[in-house]
Amino acid sequence: MLSRRSVTFILLMVVVGLNLRPALSSVAPLLTRLQEAAGLSPAAAGVLTTLPVLFLGLAAPIAPLLAKRLGSERALSAALLLLAAGLILRGLPLPGVLFIGSAMAGAAIGISGTLLPALVKRELPESADLLTGLYTMALCLGGALGAGLSVPLTEWLGSWQASLMSWSLLALFALILWQCQMPSTISHGMPQPPSSGLLKLLRKPLTWQVMLFMGIQSSMAYIVFGWLPTLLVDRGYDEASAGWTMAISIMCQLVSALGAPWLARMGSDQRPALLLVLFSTALGLWLLLIAPLAWKWPGAILLGLGQGGSFSLALSLLVLRTATSRLAGQLSGLVQGGGYTIAAIGPFSVGLLLQSGVHADQIAWLLILLVGVCCGFALLAGRTRQLDDQSGKLQVHRY
């Protein structure tokens, strides 16, 4: 039976999670409009879609330091405030603020996303992987709302600037709710060992296997967030239809985000589940971007199921591959920092490819090849291994 504290934390986790994707997914349906209104080239648009992901990766390793100084709860409050400020800034009619605000939002998401897995491991350690699925479902719902409502909000509010700024209201709501109801044990922030502990983690192949899996699957996700509507428009969709196709795909992520951790628990390790969701991602990309247009809805569904499951399992690996909440916090910072920095290459590369005249179907084949590479790291990261330093020495053992 869950305590009142646990239920409150779960609800707060969901509300915060809803805020960690609209900043990314709300831009993609408006990207063609932004290119026309702001005179952005495909390469500049690639920078715009890449900046949040890059700063997400650069900021993630800062999260454990903030948690040590401020406490995990207050650090998360600061991240939500930074997110709201970035969302407001990017819609102001000033030169360069679209890029600056996007970078601020990405940094805030990186800090928040790194803090939450360790908080989950601390608050409910026995169900950390399943709660990570619930948290991922909240992320996916936020992403779907950002993609689906972006164009309608532009029509209702009269401008794309107001549409982008409106998401700050959700961030401010989460900040107020978190401040009023956050767990009271500030002193239980994520304690950190000396920096040599991080170096020891980096020497473990398991750390790199999880990081590279996280990075490649995240790159796929942010390519979809940043460019899928543009690629669909290239195939003949109108702007609103492309946005809603992406929104439906992201909505389908809700199912696999919640269900993938349960599926992963059914076997002795996570490799079958990881390969299943990656195959679904590859097939969804093929149906959406290469097969006849009549297959768009099966493609959107399969892509959503694959990507939701991939991300949910990637976050689950952060808690499944660590024995303590402190190690989960450290691994989260390293894996998300390195992984999202790697992921930032994807959206920018797609922008360069489009500027070079590469067609959507050719890009799709490159993405499917990338999924195949990701399968190799899934086979390594999905094994039943766990980092543990409770003996005073960092070890990797089977469990």
Side-chain angles (χ1 to χ4, degrees), residues 235 284-293 360-362 364-365 368:
R235 293 208 75 196
L285 286 169
W286 186 82
L287 291 174
L288 269 178
L289 299 176
I290 299 172
L293 294 181
D361 58 340
Q362 296 170 310
W365 283 117
I368 291 170

Side-chain angles (χ1 to χ4, degrees), residues 4-239:
R4 181 178 178 181
R5 174 191 173 91
S6 297
V7 172
T8 300
F9 173 77
I10 291 171
L11 293 175
L12 289 172
M13 178 191 70
V14 169
V15 173
V16 172
L18 284 172
N19 281 273
L20 303 188
R21 286 299 175 269
L24 305 170
S25 64
S26 60
V27 173
L30 299 175
L31 204 53
T32 302
R33 191 174 307 202
L34 284 174
Q35 288 180 261
E36 295 172 355
L40 299 179
S41 66
V47 171
L48 181 61
T49 58
T50 297
L51 266 181
V53 186
L54 177 61
F55 275 80
L56 196 158
L58 294 176
I62 300 172
L65 302 177
L66 290 175
K68 183 178 180 181
R69 180 174 292 272
L70 303 176
S72 298
E73 296 85 350
R74 288 176 180 165
L76 187 56
S77 294
L80 288 171
L81 182 61
L82 179 64
L83 176 61
L87 292 172
I88 292 171
L89 185 63
R90 70 178 183 171
L92 295 178
L94 298 170
V97 295
L98 179 61
F99 293 90
I100 296 170
S102 296
M104 289 171 59
I109 293 168
I111 294 169
S112 303
T114 302
L115 292 170
L116 276 169
L119 282 168
V120 168
K121 184 85 172 180
R122 187 194 76 188
E123 293 292 324
L124 291 154
E126 298 302 320
S127 303
D129 56 336
L130 300 182
L131 282 179
T132 299
L134 181 62
Y135 160 62
T136 310
M137 187 181 73
L139 292 180
C140 297
L141 178 57
L145 292 174
L149 295 178
S150 189
V151 173
L153 281 172
T154 299
E155 304 299 330
W156 297 337
L157 299 177
S159 70
W160 60 264
Q161 292 96 333
S163 175
L164 293 180
M165 292 173 70
S166 66
W167 296 103
S168 64
L169 298 176
L170 185 61
L172 291 172
F173 171 73
L175 173 61
I176 293 169
L177 201 61
W178 181 262
Q179 278 291 107
C180 293
Q181 300 292 332
M182 66 180 178
S184 58
T185 51
I186 302 296
S187 61
H188 288 175
M190 293 189 303
Q192 298 299 310
S195 58
S196 60
L198 296 177
L199 294 176
K200 289 178 182 177
L201 266 179
L202 285 171
R203 293 191 188 107
K204 298 296 181 183
L206 180 58
T207 300
W208 289 94
Q209 292 158 10
V210 176
M211 182 190 297
L212 289 167
F213 174 76
M214 169 68 83
I216 296 174
Q217 71 82 30
S218 294
S219 183
M220 300 294 302
Y222 293 120
I223 288 170
V224 168
F225 277 138
W227 288 109
L228 182 61
T230 301
L231 294 173
L232 293 175
V233 167
D234 187 52
R235 293 208 75 196
Y237 291 66
D238 61 71
E239 187 181 57

Side-chain angles (χ1 to χ4, degrees), residues 374-389:
C374 194
C375 287
F377 292 109
L379 290 172
L380 296 171
R383 296 174 297 172
T384 53
R385 303 288 190 272
Q386 193 172 63
L387 294 159
D388 190 357
D389 64 353

Side-chain angles (χ1 to χ4, degrees), residues 233-288:
V233 167
D234 187 52
R235 293 208 75 196
Y237 291 66
D238 61 71
E239 187 181 57
S241 176
W244 277 111
T245 300
M246 185 172 86
I248 293 298
S249 181
I250 298 174
M251 283 294 291
C252 291
Q253 293 182 16
L254 301 177
V255 178
S256 56
L258 189 59
W262 291 91
L263 180 65
R265 280 192 168 193
M266 295 174 64
S268 59
D269 60 35
Q270 286 74 50
R271 285 176 289 184
L274 289 169
L275 292 177
L276 178 63
V277 295
L278 288 172
F279 175 75
S280 180
T281 299
L283 183 57
L285 286 169
W286 186 82
L287 291 174
L288 269 178

Side-chain angles (χ1 to χ4, degrees), residues 312-397:
S312 182
L313 289 173
L315 289 180
S316 295
L317 290 177
L318 299 178
V319 295
L320 289 171
R321 296 295 170 263
T322 51
T324 66
S325 63
R326 178 179 54 75
L327 271 177
Q330 285 186 289
L331 187 65
S332 179
L334 287 174
V335 166
Q336 296 198 61
Y340 288 134
T341 302
I342 294 168
I345 300 171
F348 181 65
S349 299
V350 170
L352 291 179
L353 289 171
L354 287 171
Q355 184 160 303
S356 301
V358 178
H359 295 298
D361 58 340
Q362 296 170 310
I363 292 174
W365 283 117
L366 291 174
L367 297 181
I368 291 170
L369 178 63
L370 193 60
V371 174
V373 174
C374 194
C375 287
F377 292 109
L379 290 172
L380 296 171
R383 296 174 297 172
T384 53
R385 303 288 190 272
Q386 193 172 63
L387 294 159
D388 190 357
D389 64 353
Q390 296 181 79
S391 64
K393 181 180 179 181
L394 184 61
Q395 299 175 324
V396 179
H397 59 74

